[in-house]
Amino acid sequence: MGLTKQYLAYRAVDSFNIIASGRANVNFAIYNKIEGRYITAAAAENVILWDLKLGERVLTLRRGKQEVTALRVSPDRLHVAVGYLDGAVEIFDLSNGGESVCSLALHKSAISVLRYDDQGIRLITGSLDTELVIVDILEQAGRQRLIGHNAPITDAHFLERLALDNIAVSSSKDTQIKFWNLETQFCFKTIVDNRTEIWALAFTGTLMVAGCGESTMNVYRLTRRDPNDVKSAALEKAIEGLSVEDDDTISPLNVMNCGFIQRAGKGRCVNLVTDPSERVLSCHGTNDLIENFYFCTKDEAKQRLAKRLKKVRKAKQSKELENEPDNLEKDLSLSDEIKRLNSIKTKQKIKSLDILLGGLNELRILVSLANNSVQLYSVKTTAKDEDARMLRSLYWQGHQSEVRSVCLSSDALAIGSGSAESFKLWDRDSMQCLRSISTDYILSSIFAPGDRYILLGLKSGKLLIVDVGAADIVEEIPAHNQELWSIILLPDKKGCATGSSDCTVKLWTFELIDNNDKQMEVEDTEDAALTTNVKQVKVLSLLHKNTLKLEEAVLAIQISPNMKYLAVGLLDSTVKVFFLDTFKFYLSLYGHKLPILCLDISYDSTIIATGSADRNVKIWGLDFGDCHRSLFAHDDSVMSLRFIANTHMFFTCGKDGNIKQWDADSFNKIITLPGHIGEAYNLAISSNGRHLVTCGSDRTLRLFERTDEPIVLQDIQEEEREEKENEQLATGDDHNIPLLPGLKLASKKTVGSEKAAETILECLNICKEYELESDIKPTTTLHPLMKALNVKTTIDFLLITLERIRASDLEEALLLLPFSIVCELLERLPSLIEERSDEIELLSKVTMFLFKIHMKPISGAKHMKSLLERLINLLTSEVNTLRDCIGFNLHSLSLLQNELEKREGIELFYEAIQDRKKREKKRRQRETLKRQLIQM
């Protein structure tokens, strides 16, 4: 098919300006074997690894368009588990350049919590769909799905303390704390003594702290229950005729409410975080206060109790309260075990935090704030009166509020962005902030000719002239009385025009005036004495030329490139076109149902395109004012519209977050670019049309670049249709576990699992056809797919097909196979096991899962009996062989180690271990000395 019109594709380069999203949490991470210096923070749909010392972005972990809602760094700090809005979990390897290890589709809605166990082998995920899933990291698949809560999950932990490995604890907005047995997948204990929603859980030793919607945090003590005592107590109750509660007979632990902790902050508790050693607990609410608590050891608690009793004795002057030292443990209270540390007051609301307890009793607290910044504090756990110190802060790399305006320089090498508190200048290539200027609320911005100055329109109606090089405001002009919505340059570059809500459009001309505040010293080389003269510096200024008064508020203006027409978008949903020289009325373009928010005129002054709050874009002829076409452009208001230079193609962005390219001649939508998470406010296109930059409510600036890759509209439309079909296709009922109707599988049907099932079907059909043809004609040519995979037998072809399926999609793919195909696959498994015993793990997993799902029809079929016996014998022998091989290798290595140790007379690797310890000790000493010097 030939191309009717040549379109070139735009690709997303990167997004910047965002430091940390407010929806997800932040974590410390280890990178290049350095701890405490690097952090991971969610940035819209990406996760950024920041270097706190240099304030630079080190790595960016990418997946797709979905927003990051939770993240968790593994106990070894080398892997990051990231949860997304669509219920998927992606695991990245920081030591391998941020490469994705596996992708898991687990939930139907956003992930709310992720938590590793102590070894980093298992991962528990909680979601807004009220369910929890236990993931086996090594197997890269979900193992259990826990269903029982009635509201979104807020926190979850593995309860590995007290030697209870198969128990998990979860909290929810349904005011309940549930204890789960992971083997049976059922809840054996529920705590219901909280009156409000539970937002966080934390564990320190045998204590469990629950943060709820009140200013107090309940503290529970967990103790392991002796199973013999449980049986005897149950027997005694049964003999006495008393009712035996399930809690008493099933629960392997006792949970006792031993008091509460009173927070100084108001409102609900948002986060509870403990350091890896579980000595310090930090919490924060909906305000700007971080509270820290130190949990004492038994000896420290006894000392605190002895001091407290001594004070009471002195106060009462009595010896009645004298106790023996051995009995102090019985009198320990919660106030003796918990010590309040210094609190930290931040300047903005806190979104999340993470803590790390280092050497010299120094507590590092990492805080992400609501104003798109990250701060690192240091607190001494031993000092009482010493205030917290701020060590690092990341705020320069992004705006502290939503970006409302964006502009590009004439050479497209610099990007300007304006928000409610500042204007920032960015380098396009490195995407680093070059200048930052504090201003009021910016609504519009544009580079002046020469790119030395920038014009800023404020919400107050003022017009600012900013010197880019000096990062200084040259002049503040009271141009309008209300919001200044639009600034445009005149086509002859000799002036500009402004439109405001005060119903006026003003024309301005540029002029250079003397600035008495700034003077430049130059040397006069003509004079022999080299006398120094003082030269006045010229700065840009604006001279008011003319004013056009209208009856409605002006929201957008544009001047035709031929300097003939002035188009004004008004609040009354019309566009008025005037002659530029006389301001005489020329045309009125009416047809929109809601106010005009943006408009632009093509390079040849023949077409005007308008965008409105009614979600439509209308294309008009500027000669007669006729509407060529009305396009339903976005699902919400169209916020910005710009033509590409020397073309009739234009870009639009809307409050639905999408960025779209259109053709004003054929009225076709060309492509939809990856948009913002939330609303898209403004866009700017370079003068050559090669670069596009947009801004939105997710606080990201997104840069796009035009490539040399041609696109065809039919292909783009087909891809969009497939994407919509895939979203609808991957929805369905959850599959129950056979014979256990109350339990559901941990996996979830996805497009990948459906494609994997189709791949298995296709593979079996190819194998069947190839075998039939080879029986008739021995010299049968291989199928193209077999050639592509470089296999020569059907056995290898089937095995490679199963290996290429992701571990997380394997179970769902096998579930989608019809029973006839399952029988055919089972018949081929014995030959697979015999010839490829090296893949016994994958083959046994497939065999066992198929038997679990189709147990009844398989056991009921008589012709499958011999196949069952053969499979059982083969699997048993091969698994035993593999087990014996691993055991033999393990014991052989241990024997070699013992022989080496006896022969050399030293512990194996002892010298290397000691050398490493010495190097680490020296490195810590150098870092401590360097930190002290920096503080001085």
Side-chain angles (χ1 to χ4, degrees):
M1 183 182 65
L3 296 176
T4 58
K5 189 170 183 178
Q6 184 77 25
Y7 296 112
L8 296 179
Y10 281 79
R11 67 173 182 88
V13 178
D14 205 350
S15 61
F16 53 101
N17 180 67
I18 187 168
I19 300 173
S21 297
R23 184 161 185 177
N25 55 314
V26 292
N27 272 160
F28 282 105
I30 293 179
Y31 188 71
N32 291 336
K33 300 180 180 180
I34 300 176
E35 186 177 9
R37 175 175 173 177
Y38 299 95
I39 65 166
T40 56
E45 73 276 11
N46 301 325
V47 175
I48 298 177
L49 181 70
W50 289 99
D51 185 347
L52 288 179
K53 187 175 182 180
L54 301 178
E56 294 178 353
R57 179 164 55 174
V58 180
L59 276 179
T60 303
L61 312 179
R62 312 175 192 275
R63 173 182 173 261
K65 302 177 183 178
Q66 297 295 331
E67 182 182 8
V68 176
T69 57
L71 62 89
R72 183 68 56 186
V73 177
S74 61
D76 58 2
R77 309 274 181 178
L78 298 178
H79 293 82
V80 182
V82 184
Y84 294 90
L85 188 65
D86 59 350
V89 175
E90 193 99 6
I91 299 177
F92 298 92
D93 186 1
L94 295 179
S95 61
N96 196 17
E99 183 181 353
S100 176
V101 177
C102 67
S103 180
L104 305 165
L106 303 174
H107 296 277
K108 294 181 179 178
S109 55
I111 303 293
S112 57
V113 61
L114 294 168
R115 193 83 61 179
Y116 279 94
D117 63 354
D118 291 341
Q119 289 77 30
I121 297 175
R122 295 179 298 173
L123 178 72
I124 185 169
T125 67
S127 170
L128 302 183
D129 61 3
T130 73
E131 297 177 355
L132 297 110
V133 174
I134 309 298
V135 179
D136 190 334
I137 301 298
L138 300 180
E139 196 176 349
Q140 298 184 5
R143 290 294 89 201
Q144 295 97 10
R145 185 178 293 272
L146 309 177
I147 303 173
H149 283 289
N150 300 321
I153 307 296
T154 56
D155 207 349
H157 292 261
F158 285 102
L159 194 61
E160 294 178 297
R161 61 204 73 238
L162 306 176
L164 299 172
D165 293 336
N166 289 317
I167 293 179
V169 187
S170 64
S171 64
S172 171
K173 289 185 181 180
D174 59 4
T175 72
Q176 297 178 357
I177 301 174
K178 288 184 178 291
F179 293 79
W180 305 85
N181 189 329
L182 300 183
E183 292 181 351
T184 61
Q185 303 184 38
F186 281 100
C187 172
F188 63 84
K189 192 176 188 66
T190 304
I191 299 176
V192 293
D193 59 351
N194 290 278
R195 296 177 298 175
T196 56
E197 299 172 344
I198 301 173
W199 289 91
L201 290 176
F203 288 86
T204 57
T206 59
L207 295 179
M208 178 179 72
V209 184
C212 56
E214 300 174 342
S215 60
T216 58
M217 299 184 295
N218 289 329
V219 182
Y220 303 89
R221 190 177 300 277
L222 308 179
T223 56
R224 186 168 183 177
R225 180 178 294 180
D226 190 358
N228 297 325
D229 296 342
V230 174
K231 292 180 180 178
S232 61
L235 184 61
E236 290 177 1
K237 286 189 176 183
I239 293 173
E240 295 175 1
L242 300 175
S243 62
V244 180
E245 296 181 0
D246 295 337
D247 206 356
D248 293 336
T249 58
I250 296 176
S251 176
L253 51 87
N254 290 319
V255 182
M256 181 182 66
N257 191 336
C258 57
F260 62 89
I261 301 174
Q262 180 66 45
R263 295 192 300 112
K266 298 180 181 179
R268 67 176 178 89
C269 177
V270 177
N271 276 323
L272 289 175
V273 182
T274 58
D275 69 295
S277 62
E278 296 185 350
R279 305 303 304 158
V280 179
L281 170 71
S282 295
C283 69
H284 73 88
T286 56
N287 55 359
D288 54 358
L289 184 66
I290 302 174
E291 300 177 64
N292 305 307
F293 302 92
Y294 180 78
F295 286 76
C296 305
T297 60
K298 284 187 177 180
D299 296 337
E300 293 172 344
K302 288 180 182 179
Q303 293 178 1
R304 287 171 59 85
L305 176 60
K307 289 182 180 179
R308 182 168 60 86
L309 293 178
K310 189 176 181 180
K311 289 181 180 179
V312 174
R313 249 187 259 117
K314 287 183 178 179
K316 290 190 175 183
Q317 295 180 355
S318 173
K319 296 184 179 180
E320 297 177 357
L321 297 175
E322 290 183 355
N323 288 324
E324 296 295 330
D326 297 337
N327 298 328
L328 286 177
E329 188 173 352
K330 298 180 181 178
D331 299 331
L332 285 176
S333 65
L334 202 60
S335 60
D336 298 322
E337 297 184 53
I338 302 175
K339 180 174 67 173
R340 187 182 291 270
L341 301 178
N342 293 332
S343 300
I344 300 175
K345 187 84 170 177
T346 61
K347 296 182 179 180
Q348 293 289 333
K349 286 186 178 181
I350 303 166
K351 287 299 181 179
S352 68
L353 59 87
D354 193 17
I355 63 175
L356 194 64
L357 187 60
L360 303 177
N361 296 320
E362 184 186 15
L363 179 67
R364 295 286 182 92
I365 302 176
L366 176 67
V367 187
S368 69
L369 303 177
N371 63 344
N372 189 31
S373 64
V374 173
Q375 296 176 350
L376 181 66
Y377 290 91
S378 174
V379 176
K380 289 287 186 180
T381 58
T382 55
K384 294 183 180 179
D385 300 329
E386 185 178 351
D387 295 333
R389 295 180 294 108
M390 183 190 296
L391 301 180
R392 300 281 187 273
S393 180
L394 292 179
Y395 66 93
W396 177 270
Q397 293 80 2
H399 286 279
Q400 297 184 6
S401 59
E402 297 177 351
V403 183
R404 293 304 303 262
S405 177
V406 68
C407 57
L408 275 166
S409 61
S410 59
D411 54 5
L413 294 178
I415 299 172
S417 61
S419 65
E421 84 293 334
S422 65
F423 178 85
K424 289 183 180 291
L425 189 71
W426 307 82
D427 180 38
R428 192 204 68 205
D429 294 332
S430 64
M431 283 173 271
Q432 296 291 327
C433 181
L434 304 177
R435 301 283 189 275
S436 184
I437 304 161
S438 298
T439 62
D440 292 335
Y441 203 113
I442 298 174
L443 292 178
S444 55
S445 60
I446 195 167
F447 275 88
D451 298 333
R452 181 180 172 183
Y453 297 95
I454 295 176
L455 307 179
L456 303 179
L458 304 184
K459 193 173 183 179
S460 60
K462 294 180 180 179
L463 180 62
L464 301 184
I465 303 176
V466 176
D467 189 343
V468 173
D472 188 22
I473 298 175
V474 176
E475 188 176 1
E476 183 178 301
I477 302 172
H480 296 274
N481 299 325
Q482 296 182 23
E483 296 90 345
L484 202 161
W485 288 108
S486 182
I487 303 176
I488 59 168
L489 292 178
L490 297 180
D492 58 1
K493 309 297 182 183
K494 294 181 179 179
C496 66
T498 59
S500 170
S501 294
D502 61 0
C503 307
T504 60
V505 176
K506 293 185 178 181
L507 296 183
W508 309 79
T509 56
F510 294 131
E511 62 176 0
L512 293 175
I513 61 173
D514 294 332
N515 188 4
N516 297 324
D517 296 335
K518 294 184 180 181
Q519 296 178 350
M520 181 174 59
E521 293 184 354
V522 296
E523 293 183 344
D524 189 3
T525 57
E526 296 179 357
D527 192 359
L530 296 178
T531 58
T532 302
N533 296 333
V534 177
K535 182 180 179 181
Q536 296 289 340
V537 178
K538 297 285 187 179
V539 295
L540 184 70
S541 181
L542 293 179
L543 178 64
H544 181 222
K545 183 180 179 182
N546 208 345
T547 300
L548 171 63
K549 294 184 178 180
L550 297 129
E551 297 179 355
E552 293 287 339
V554 178
L555 301 181
I557 61 173
Q558 191 57 257
I559 296 175
S560 61
N562 59 5
M563 294 284 291
K564 188 175 181 181
Y565 304 114
L566 168 65
V568 183
L570 302 175
L571 189 65
D572 62 358
S573 308
T574 63
V575 177
K576 305 287 187 184
V577 182
F578 301 89
F579 289 102
L580 182 61
D581 52 355
T582 61
F583 284 164
K584 184 179 179 181
F585 177 74
Y586 173 56
L587 286 174
S588 179
L589 310 178
Y590 54 91
H592 285 286
K593 297 178 181 178
L594 290 175
I596 310 295
L597 300 180
C598 53
L599 58 89
D600 200 8
I601 300 176
S602 63
Y603 74 101
D604 53 3
S605 304
T606 59
I607 296 176
I608 178 173
T610 60
S612 168
D614 61 4
R615 303 176 291 179
N616 291 319
V617 169
K618 292 184 182 293
I619 301 170
W620 315 77
L622 203 54
D623 295 333
F624 304 102
D626 56 327
C627 181
H628 293 176
R629 185 65 62 93
S630 181
L631 305 172
F632 183 77
H634 293 271
D635 296 331
D636 208 332
S637 302
V638 183
M639 297 298 294
S640 184
L641 184 151
R642 287 290 180 269
F643 271 99
I644 302 175
N646 301 322
T647 67
H648 281 178
M649 294 181 290
F650 60 91
F651 278 97
T652 61
C653 67
K655 283 190 175 181
D656 59 354
N658 292 327
I659 303 155
K660 299 182 179 181
Q661 184 183 6
W662 306 84
D663 190 341
D665 293 331
S666 61
F667 315 117
N668 290 323
K669 185 188 75 174
I670 300 172
I671 194 172
T672 301
L673 299 176
H676 291 265
I677 298 173
E679 302 174 353
Y681 289 134
N682 201 357
L683 63 85
I685 305 175
S686 61
S687 57
N688 57 5
R690 188 170 181 82
H691 295 93
L692 168 72
V693 61
T694 64
C695 62
S697 62
D698 56 1
R699 297 184 180 178
T700 61
L701 292 172
R702 298 177 187 267
L703 179 64
F704 301 89
E705 185 179 14
R706 189 176 63 198
T707 63
D708 295 331
E709 175 190 355
I711 59 175
V712 182
L713 293 183
Q714 287 80 358
D715 295 344
I716 298 296
Q717 294 169 0
E718 184 65 27
E719 290 176 3
E720 293 179 355
R721 278 196 297 267
E722 286 182 2
E723 187 176 351
K724 290 181 180 179
E725 290 175 358
N726 290 337
E727 292 177 358
Q728 298 173 356
L729 196 64
T731 57
D733 297 332
D734 295 329
H735 297 284
N736 293 329
I737 298 177
L739 302 181
L740 295 173
L743 301 180
K744 296 180 180 179
L745 291 175
S747 57
K748 177 188 171 187
K749 186 173 70 170
T750 61
V751 178
S753 60
E754 293 177 354
K755 291 181 178 179
E758 294 175 358
T759 305
I760 296 175
L761 289 171
E762 185 180 13
C763 174
L764 292 174
N765 291 331
I766 292 173
C767 291
K768 193 187 301 181
E769 292 175 2
Y770 179 78
E771 290 170 354
L772 288 174
E773 292 179 2
S774 60
D775 292 340
I776 300 172
K777 187 179 179 182
T779 59
T780 306
T781 57
L782 294 174
H783 191 274
L785 276 178
M786 297 176 69
K787 290 182 180 179
L789 296 175
N790 197 18
V791 294
K792 296 181 180 180
T793 62
T794 56
I795 291 176
D796 292 338
F797 183 40
L798 179 57
L799 183 62
I800 287 183
T801 302
L802 293 174
E803 287 178 345
R804 287 165 62 88
I805 300 174
R806 286 194 313 182
S808 57
D809 292 334
L810 181 60
E811 291 186 354
E812 289 290 337
L814 295 175
L815 276 172
L816 296 173
L817 297 177
F819 183 68
S820 59
I821 301 298
V822 169
C823 295
E824 185 179 345
L825 182 58
L826 287 174
E827 290 173 357
R828 293 180 179 273
L829 283 176
S831 56
L832 268 174
I833 296 171
E834 289 176 349
E835 297 191 19
R836 294 299 302 271
S837 58
D838 56 324
E839 296 290 344
I840 187 63
E841 183 181 355
L842 173 63
L843 297 176
S844 60
K845 185 191 298 185
V846 172
T847 307
M848 295 300 295
F849 184 77
L850 290 177
F851 275 120
K852 285 180 182 179
I853 299 300
H854 303 282
M855 185 172 57
K856 286 186 177 180
I858 290 176
S859 59
K862 294 181 179 180
H863 67 280
M864 299 287 290
K865 185 175 181 182
S866 59
L867 178 64
L868 287 177
E869 293 177 352
R870 187 181 175 192
L871 277 172
I872 290 172
N873 295 331
L874 282 173
L875 286 176
T876 304
S877 62
E878 293 295 339
V879 171
N880 288 335
T881 303
L882 180 62
R883 182 195 60 189
D884 295 340
C885 179
I886 294 173
F888 179 79
N889 293 335
L890 180 63
H891 287 85
S892 300
L893 290 173
S894 62
L895 181 62
L896 290 174
Q897 179 181 353
N898 293 332
E899 290 182 355
L900 275 172
E901 290 175 357
K902 288 180 181 179
R903 188 173 60 197
E904 300 293 337
I906 61 171
E907 183 182 350
L908 192 64
F909 304 126
Y910 177 80
E911 294 179 352
I913 292 173
Q914 293 302 316
D915 291 341
R916 188 182 67 180
K917 287 183 178 178
K918 289 179 181 178
R919 289 196 302 270
E920 290 181 353
K921 185 177 180 180
K922 289 181 180 179
R923 182 178 59 83
R924 285 196 299 268
Q925 291 176 352
R926 286 197 303 269
E927 289 181 354
T928 304
L929 180 61
K930 190 184 299 183
R931 193 179 300 117
Q932 291 176 355
L933 291 174
I934 291 173
Q935 292 170 4
M936 291 173 63

